[in-house]
Amino acid sequence: MKQFFTLLSAILLATASISITMAARGPSLKKSITPLSKTYLGFDRNIYPGDTAFPTLRQTFAFTGYWLNAPPGEKTNTWIGKRNFLRKSGFGFLVLFRGRLSHEFKKFSDGPAKGALDAEAAAAAAKKEGFPAGTIIFLDLEEGGRLSATYHAYLHAWLDGLARNGYRAGIYCSGMPVKESGGVTVLTADDIRANAGSREYVFFVFNDACPPSPGCVFPSEAPSVATSGVTYAQAWQYAQSPRRKEFTARCPTGYHRNGNCYSPHDASHEWDLDADTAASADPSNGAKP
């Protein structure tokens, strides 16, 4: 009988030990499972496509670009006054403001002076459109390669000016390598980040070269932003209209024969667009009431 109880006690102790071990392992196993980060499709275009376009576009896209001033190459801004309609239609936002070109700076002091002016203009436009404090406004930087000290001063003043007005500074810029002398290559995004000091920009990069771009396609699982080659970016423009043949020659089919990119639900090919992917359905945090 004593031997029986001794044997029974040993069994119970072993069972309890296994249960404790499994209980201890349970939480650690759960912590080791990292959920896949979700990405979202969006688009941007310089000209507002019209209210009737958005039910069709919403079938593919979670967010839309939204200009606060006249886009590159345009004299007017057709997006003004459309925020509430788009928000009620279920769209998030990539809020954009056209930046300066290098030739607009004649001396170094022009950089910080014009950066401050543009920040004030962008903040005033954002407030008028109803974008809440904390919205990220992406400065559209069309030039690539290594930037001048004057241009970096312009960007610093842009960020500081937006911060004073309660907004965050983003940069839309090249994420494509540019060759310099001596076999050196530079990414504009890397150059901006390396010269930012303690300032923190949010990056929306373009790279339409295939690879890494998949071309003008809209998969059910949006392309990962990190695939762009700029791992710290929050959004990636992976296709443009019209396509740039020097970069897209190796792209799979997807671009229309006229060279533009269209939503798969745009059967009549009315709204050419640039295709984007982002780590958020509202990359600028601009859809909040």
Side-chain angles (χ1 to χ4, degrees), residues 206-256:
F206 65 85
N207 187 349
D208 54 334
C210 298
S213 170
C216 176
V217 295
F218 305 95
S220 56
E221 291 187 12
S224 167
V225 179
T227 307
S228 69
V230 183
T231 58
Y232 51 84
Q234 293 298 306
W236 171 28
Q237 185 186 81
Y238 64 87
Q240 297 183 1
S241 292
R243 70 185 296 178
R244 302 192 296 172
K245 293 182 179 179
E246 67 271 30
F247 299 114
T248 61
R250 297 174 62 189
C251 290
T253 56
Y255 286 98
H256 190 269

Side-chain angles (χ1 to χ4, degrees), residues 40-178:
Y40 301 84
L41 290 172
F43 77 96
D44 65 273
R45 70 194 311 267
N46 288 355
I47 306 299
Y48 186 75
D51 293 354
T52 57
F54 285 94
T56 299
L57 295 171
R58 187 66 182 89
Q59 294 180 60
T60 304
F61 304 114
F63 62 88
T64 174
Y66 193 102
W67 288 94
L68 294 177
N69 63 346
E74 303 298 330
K75 294 182 179 180
T76 59
N77 181 10
T78 53
W79 291 84
I80 294 300
K82 296 299 183 180
R83 176 184 177 269
N84 286 339
F85 166 75
L86 293 171
R87 188 172 67 84
K88 290 176 181 178
S89 299
F91 283 89
F93 296 98
L94 265 174
V95 183
L96 301 162
F97 188 90
R98 188 189 73 241
R100 308 269 179 162
L101 297 174
S102 294
H103 69 77
E104 297 181 60
F105 305 118
K106 305 303 180 184
K107 53 186 181 298
F108 179 81
S109 60
D110 286 346
K114 292 185 177 182
L117 284 174
D118 286 354
E120 291 294 327
K127 289 174 184 176
K128 186 176 181 180
E129 290 299 295
F131 287 105
T135 297
I136 302 166
I137 304 174
F138 291 91
L139 185 72
D140 177 80
L141 199 169
E142 296 287 326
E143 297 172 321
R146 195 180 303 276
L147 303 177
S148 67
T150 302
Y151 211 101
H152 285 297
Y154 169 70
L155 296 179
H156 295 170
W158 158 262
L159 182 148
D160 296 342
L162 284 184
R164 285 192 297 270
N165 285 279
Y167 291 100
R168 294 185 62 195
I171 304 288
Y172 164 80
C173 65
S174 173
M176 305 176 72
V178 175

